[in-house]
Amino acid sequence: MTGTLDQLESTIARRRGADASSSYVASLFAKGMPKIAQKLGEEAVETVIAAMAGDAKGVTGEAADLIFHLMVLLNQAGVPFADVLAELERREGTSGLAEKASRPQA
């Protein structure tokens, strides 16, 4: 499964420096983190809307868009996807309630 995400991460990194007029990825990077974060939020809302409507096909498509935009945001933030996987692995086997309680209070 991570092979697809590894490939996506590589493609995003490659397209980052492309001409913004011919690459959607490059155009997002040219607009900076605020636009990338906005797009991620939009895709999250669209995923929720599809889920609430019981639209499995819509959820699939919107979830793909959500993951794509998350990968763009991670690249912009300088966070390798491997770091996210490592964090998930660290949390494996820990109760979600216990993990949340262990976080520093904001």
Side-chain angles (χ1 to χ4, degrees):
M1 175 175 68
T2 59
T4 300
L5 295 174
D6 290 340
Q7 182 62 42
L8 178 58
E9 184 174 46
S10 294
T11 299
I12 289 168
R14 226 179 19 259
R15 292 185 181 163
R16 181 178 181 136
D19 180 358
S21 68
S22 63
S23 167
Y24 176 68
V25 170
S27 73
L28 285 173
F29 284 119
K31 294 172 186 169
M33 184 60 89
K35 183 62 174 181
I36 294 167
Q38 175 190 355
K39 286 301 297 177
L40 179 64
E42 289 172 8
E43 298 304 339
V45 169
E46 290 169 3
T47 302
V48 169
I49 291 168
M52 295 302 294
D55 178 5
K57 186 174 181 178
V59 170
T60 299
E62 296 301 342
D65 292 345
L66 179 61
I67 291 169
F68 169 80
H69 286 89
L70 174 61
M71 297 292 284
V72 172
L73 184 136
L74 290 172
N75 184 285
Q76 178 71 6
V79 176
F81 187 64
D83 289 1
V84 176
L85 291 177
E87 178 62 13
L88 289 171
E89 289 173 12
R90 183 190 68 76
R91 295 179 185 185
E92 178 62 28
T94 303
S95 158
L97 295 174
E99 192 282 326
K100 188 173 181 180
S102 73
R103 294 180 194 171
Q105 297 299 315

